[in-house]
Amino acid sequence: RGPCVPGTSADQHLFQAVLFISLVLCPQGETGMCPASCESVPGAPGLQGPPGPAGGGQGDKGDTGVAGEPGSNGQKGDQGEQGICECTDGADGANGGETGAQGIQGPVGLKGDHGVMGLMGPPGPCSPAIQSAFTACLNESFPRENWPVLFNDVLTNQQRHFDPTMGMYTAPVNGTYVFSFHLATRQKPLKVGLFRNFYPVVRVTEASSQATASHTAVLHLAMGDQVWLQVKDSLTNGMFTDGESKSTFSGYLLHPDSCDAAFGRLFIKPRPTGGFSWDGPGGHTTASPP
């Protein structure tokens, strides 16, 4: 019969019977002696057990540590020695290939939207071919009083708007004009006036002998207006001319009122035959000389 295995009823009865017989038949042994030390003596190490199961998964990532302080800059190193250059010019390369043919022109793009019309600018300056200027000199001292002074020695009169035989300038267009005179005096005082259409515009008196009476005036004239110089009388007629002193009368068109063409270079307004007076119409007048 094989070994008894506790746990069954037959085996339990057998075990109890053997235990009873051993207690009755086998005498009790002697009492054992305690050793000098009651400490237990370790037994021999047992055999190594089988490896245990693997531990759990990877733990959580720890917090990032505080960044350390930057280190100080290092000292600048010594400059190295200059290298020796043993350079030579390279040979010229060969010319590149020929230029390629021009590509085909692409299609014309769509026409852009029409831009917004800008604001109209101011009208440009009027610069028509209207010119008028003259300068003439006195060729006889002490001219006649209450009559236009004759300036027969003409220096410039390209447009012929000045009549030297009558001493009159006729305005070719409506516009602004500049007139000036510089008159030498000798022996007696001078009273001279700038007249427009028989009316005095500017009057000047020079009481000194061997002096100069000068004046400049800017006038607005209508086309056909006439301008001239006149002395008052024989007692105040010191206007003088010689080889060393010249008396001159000048004028020019500063700018016209419009760009309309002038009436022409050869336009001559009929000369007045009388009615000249120092005080204008209504004063003592002088008839045309015979």
Side-chain angles (χ1 to χ4, degrees), residues 138 143-151 180-185 188-195 200-207 212-216 228-233 235-240 247-249 277-278:
L138 185 73
R144 180 184 176 188
E145 68 273 8
N146 277 336
W147 193 260
V149 178
L150 304 183
F151 292 86
S180 62
F181 55 82
H182 303 275
L183 308 174
T185 63
K188 46 188 175 179
L190 173 64
K191 287 183 178 292
V192 63
L194 179 69
F195 284 73
V201 178
V202 175
R203 290 174 176 176
V204 175
T205 298
E206 178 54 60
T212 301
S214 300
H215 198 82
T216 299
W228 64 85
L229 294 182
Q230 234 177 265
V231 296
K232 182 177 182 180
D233 52 37
L235 297 178
T236 57
N237 181 14
M239 194 181 302
F240 181 80
S247 295
T248 62
F249 180 35
S277 171
W278 180 254

Side-chain angles (χ1 to χ4, degrees), residues 31-270:
T31 304
M33 297 293 294
C34 290
S37 176
C38 294
E39 294 181 358
S40 61
V41 178
L47 298 176
Q48 183 177 357
Q58 185 176 359
D60 297 335
K61 182 178 180 181
D63 297 334
T64 303
V66 180
E69 296 181 358
S72 59
N73 295 332
Q75 296 181 353
K76 183 178 180 180
D78 298 334
Q79 183 176 359
E81 297 180 359
Q82 183 176 359
I84 300 174
C85 177
E86 297 179 356
C87 306
T88 58
D89 294 337
D92 294 337
N95 293 332
E98 298 181 356
T99 303
Q102 183 176 357
I104 301 175
Q105 183 176 357
V108 179
L110 298 177
K111 184 176 181 180
D113 297 334
H114 188 69
V116 179
M117 180 178 295
L119 298 176
M120 180 178 294
C126 177
S127 57
I130 302 175
Q131 299 177 353
S132 183
F134 77 94
T135 294
C137 301
L138 185 73
N139 62 356
E140 183 180 354
S141 299
F142 316 122
R144 180 184 176 188
E145 68 273 8
N146 277 336
W147 193 260
V149 178
L150 304 183
F151 292 86
N152 291 325
D153 186 6
V154 176
L155 298 184
T156 181
N157 188 26
Q158 295 294 322
Q159 296 79 24
R160 301 184 186 181
H161 297 150
F162 178 74
D163 180 6
T165 63
M166 194 65 183
M168 286 187 177
Y169 174 80
T170 303
V173 293
N174 298 344
T176 301
Y177 296 78
V178 179
F179 296 94
S180 62
F181 55 82
H182 303 275
L183 308 174
T185 63
R186 185 73 59 86
Q187 299 179 7
K188 46 188 175 179
L190 173 64
K191 287 183 178 292
V192 63
L194 179 69
F195 284 73
R196 176 180 60 191
N197 299 338
F198 299 98
Y199 289 90
V201 178
V202 175
R203 290 174 176 176
V204 175
T205 298
E206 178 54 60
S208 302
S209 179
Q210 296 186 355
T212 301
S214 300
H215 198 82
T216 299
V218 179
L219 303 178
H220 183 270
L221 303 179
M223 183 178 63
D225 283 352
Q226 293 178 313
V227 178
W228 64 85
L229 294 182
Q230 234 177 265
V231 296
K232 182 177 182 180
D233 52 37
S234 59
L235 297 178
T236 57
N237 181 14
M239 194 181 302
F240 181 80
T241 184
D242 64 7
E244 300 295 331
S245 300
K246 285 291 185 181
S247 295
T248 62
F249 180 35
S250 302
Y252 62 90
L253 171 63
L254 182 62
H255 60 77
D257 288 350
S258 67
C259 297
D260 297 336
F263 50 66
R265 293 176 56 183
L266 301 179
F267 174 84
I268 298 177
K269 188 175 181 178

